[in-house]
Structure formats: structure tokens, C-alpha cells
Amino acid sequence: MAHLVTLIAGDGIGPEVAEATRRVLDATGVEIEWVLEDAGAAVLEREGTPLPDRVLEQIRRSRVAIKGPITTPVGGGFRSVNVALRHELDLFAAVRPSRSIPGVPTPHPGVDLVVIRENTEDLYRGVEYERGSPEAAALRAELRRLAGYTAREDAGFTVKPISVSGTRRIVRFALEFVRANGRRKVTLGHKSNIMRFSDGLFLSIGRSESEDHRDVWFEDMEIDQLSMRLTREPEAFDVLLLPNLYGDILSDLCAGLVGGLGLAAGANLGWEYAVFEPVHGSAPDIAGRGVANPVAMIRSGAMLLRHLGEHGAADVVESAVDRVLAAGEVRTPDLGGTSSTDEVAAGVAKDLQVPGPSG
Ligand code: ATP
């Protein structure tokens, strides 16, 4: 039976890299029934919302989706579509691998990292009060009463909630991920000496949960020290477990360590639903020119295949991407080449060596 998958092309370079991805996944021979949905800037103009309910319903129906980047509309009272999707579908874990590929220039040839980012809490929860608003004034009064702290009258506020239950599930997810994927170590990043009741909680739950997974090497590190060490010896790390904001920042840093945003794939996972997407944004500067690197989204597609249980096809796509990049003949301009998005997709599709029934 064909796998039902929702495909959202997205904004900017989204349609270009989404088409390239569909072409490669179809070429694996895995039967996928694509359901196309729109979200983002174009839909906002047409329908007044960048994320219509029917898109969410369709993802709930198919349970699995892959999407291109979606621009966050400025103003209009709507927050990021990406953040809304994660909250609505309770996609609490972002998984973002970064691996050095032979032939792609990097000062760090031995990197093989996975960032696991908590996706629903922290400063990205969206609890914010604009400066000058009645809500900000009420919060100021409350803070004066509770903490004896008088915030400046012209201050805006963003609240950082981190819960025991929200942390426990992401810590368990990370520890189980290490076991299931033959990895060895989790490094938890925090700043608990400054933010004792949010980052401190994240750290203490991490430590206590790791007691129940003694086969997994667990360490913790302050986020500033971790950032510095990642730039010097990224090979020393394996799985990074991070609260939402640090996870967002360090996943871009890790992408930069191994060749840039054009290569970085990602998955957003919950207990019920999974949405795969490249780490990069809509790159309006190169949109419509046919030169966007489709590899990040193609690799997100390989993660999707694995999620569907199509491990053989996922391996085939990943190694075809590696071979094409290593050969260096077909590369988009962000990697120093002159090829188009379509040429990279065609190169990868041609290189797929789908194993037969005995392979
Ligand atoms: P958004 O507002 O949607 O986050 P952005 O332009 O601010 O978009 P990104 O698109 O994530 O941020 O990336 C920043 C820059 O990196 C882009 O402007 C583009 O030059 C480059 N870039 C990102 N993704 C790709 C890609 N797939 N191929 C080539 N270049 C890319």
C-alpha cells in the first residue's frame, strides 16, 4: 500500500527544493501518495491565514508531512507558521543531524552530530508582552510585588517556561534516540547557574533521567562553553540535547560546521505526528532563480523514508547524496558549483542504486 504523505512546498525557494525532493523520493520506487497542501505567504494573501485549518487536518490524516520553508509574516498578529505547527501537532522533538561529507570543504572533516531540540517550551512558547501595553504594565506591577524588581516602563517581556513534564519527555526521547541509533553520548546544554528555575530544571531532570539509562554516556555543559568547544573540537560531540532557543542557534552553528544551511536536514517529531523540513529558511535572495541547494530537503526526505520504515530507500538516498557531493561535478553555487536545483535533483535521482529483492 502507498504511504500517504502531505507535501507543503512553502515560500521562497520552497517550491523549487520541494519539487526536487519529490522527484528523488519518487525515483526510489517507494510508493508515496502525495497530498499537496499550501501554507505560508501566498495562502495568507488568499485566505487571510498562513496556516488554514484544512492543512492541519490533512497532516493529522496522513500523520506524516514534509514541508519547505515558510516565511513568518510580519504583523497581522500571526506568529511563525513553523512554531504554530509544532504546537498544534505537539511536535516536541526537533532532530537535526550534521555530518561532514567527503569532498565538501570544512575545517572539521570528522563531524557527526545530532542536535535534539525541545520544540514547544522556553522563550519560543510565544508568551510575550509588548512594551507600553496594559499587559506589560500589569506584569510590571506583579513583578514589583513578587520579586521587588522594578522593570523599566519601556520594557517588553518574553517569558521562558520550562516544565518537568516537557523536559522529561525530551530527555527520554534523546536517551532512547541514542540507544536506537547506535550512538554513544548525550551532551545536555544549559545555563543553570543564571536561570536556576528554567535551565536548572532542564538540567536536573536530565541528570535524574540519565540515571535510568546508564548504558548511555551522559554529560552536561554550560551553553557558552559548549558553543566554544563546538567550534574547536566538534568531533568530540555526538548527540546535543538542548532547550528550544539554544537548540535553534546551535543547529545553525552545527550546519555551518559541515557545509552550511543548504545541507542541513531536520525532523519535528511527536508521539502521533511527524513533519520533516530543512533547517534553512525561505532564502528570498535566491528564490525563483533555480539555484537553491535542494540537498537539505532531500535529506529531510531520507529521514521521512526512515520514519516510514523504508530504511533501504533512506540509505540509498543518503549515499547517493554523499556520492554526488563527493564527486563535486554537480553542485549548487552555495557549495562553490554552478549547477541548478534541478541538475542536483537529477544527479541524485540518477545515482540511486535501489537494491533488488535480494539486496
Ligand atoms: P527566513 O526569513 O525564511 O528564515 P532567511 O533568508 O532569513 O529566510 P535562510 O533562508 O535560512 O534565512 O538563510 C539565509 C541565507 O542562506 C539565504 O539568504 C541564502 O543566501 C542562504 N541559503 C539558505 N538556504 C539555502 C539553500 N537551500 N541553498 C542555497 N542557499 C541557501
Side-chain angles (χ1 to χ4, degrees):
M1 225 176 62
H3 302 284
L4 191 63
V5 176
T6 302
L7 174 66
I8 303 168
D11 296 317
I13 59 173
E16 300 160 57
V17 294
E19 188 46 42
T21 302
R22 182 150 75 134
R23 178 172 179 179
V24 169
L25 296 200
D26 282 341
T28 63
V30 171
E31 269 189 63
I32 297 177
E33 186 185 332
W34 300 101
V35 181
L36 308 187
E37 285 291 350
D38 282 338
V43 187
L44 176 65
E45 259 176 43
R46 256 189 351 251
E47 301 187 34
T49 167
L51 183 61
D53 283 344
R54 84 187 126 68
V55 178
L56 284 167
E57 277 158 30
Q58 181 50 49
I59 299 177
R60 289 198 177 98
R61 207 170 303 133
S62 61
R63 295 185 167 263
V64 180
I66 182 162
K67 61 180 272 297
I70 292 180
T71 313
T72 300
V74 182
F78 207 95
R79 277 178 206 289
S80 155
V81 171
N82 306 314
V83 172
L85 266 178
R86 290 167 198 161
H87 287 167
E88 289 289 333
L89 302 172
D90 203 19
L91 305 170
F92 65 86
V95 176
R96 296 172 163 185
S98 289
R99 180 168 53 81
S100 333
I101 302 177
V104 176
T106 163
H108 303 287
V111 175
D112 185 5
L113 280 168
V114 180
V115 170
I116 295 185
R117 162 187 174 192
E118 201 290 324
N119 238 353
T120 61
E121 300 199 310
D122 194 356
L123 286 162
Y124 283 29
R125 181 64 245 190
V127 184
E128 295 204 277
Y129 302 103
E130 191 177 2
R131 95 183 144 90
S133 66
E135 292 81 7
L139 184 59
R140 280 183 73 238
E142 199 60 18
L143 287 174
R144 203 176 306 123
R145 194 178 70 77
L146 280 176
Y149 161 63
T150 306
R152 293 208 168 105
E153 263 188 54
D154 53 0
F157 299 89
T158 302
V159 179
K160 174 166 172 153
I162 291 191
S163 68
V164 171
S165 45
T167 303
R168 192 171 280 142
R169 67 180 179 176
I170 192 73
V171 173
R172 288 182 183 167
F173 177 92
L175 293 164
E176 293 298 331
F177 180 91
V178 168
R179 280 182 179 165
N181 291 278
R183 291 191 168 260
R184 54 197 165 86
K185 178 168 86 161
V186 170
T187 306
L188 178 150
H190 66 92
K191 194 71 187 173
S192 67
N193 56 340
I194 306 291
M195 287 165 280
R196 289 176 297 150
F197 303 130
S198 49
D199 282 27
L201 183 152
F202 195 82
L203 173 61
S204 71
I205 299 295
R207 284 183 177 162
S208 67
E209 287 298 320
S210 72
E211 295 291 314
D212 295 332
H213 293 72
R214 288 184 174 271
D215 53 315
V216 179
W217 177 7
F218 178 90
E219 65 178 9
D220 49 72
M221 202 172 286
E222 290 186 4
I223 195 71
D224 38 4
Q225 192 197 351
L226 175 57
S227 306
M228 192 270 289
R229 287 199 45 202
L230 274 171
T231 65
R232 295 199 164 199
E233 41 166 354
E235 308 84 359
F237 295 94
D238 186 11
V239 172
L240 305 181
L241 168 59
L242 301 164
N244 210 338
L245 171 68
Y246 309 145
D248 191 17
I249 297 169
L250 289 198
S251 44
D252 272 31
L253 186 147
C254 292
L257 289 173
V258 297
L261 281 173
L263 302 179
N268 296 294
L269 307 173
W271 299 131
E272 290 190 76
Y273 309 109
V275 177
F276 298 81
E277 63 180 352
V279 172
H280 62 72
S282 59
D285 53 331
I286 54 166
R289 290 173 30 207
V291 294
N293 192 343
V295 167
M297 191 153 171
I298 292 173
R299 284 175 142 185
S300 307
M303 294 174 82
L304 178 150
L305 288 174
R306 208 171 289 289
H307 179 81
L308 294 174
E310 301 285 357
H311 298 278
D315 290 342
V316 160
V317 172
E318 280 169 0
S319 41
V321 166
D322 284 4
R323 275 194 299 273
V324 167
L325 290 176
E329 279 161 31
V330 193
R331 277 185 190 175
T332 42
D334 56 307
L335 297 177
T338 55
S339 307
S340 67
T341 308
D342 287 349
E343 284 163 349
V344 173
V348 174
K350 193 166 148 230
D351 194 273
L352 297 173
Q353 292 160 0
V354 184
S358 61

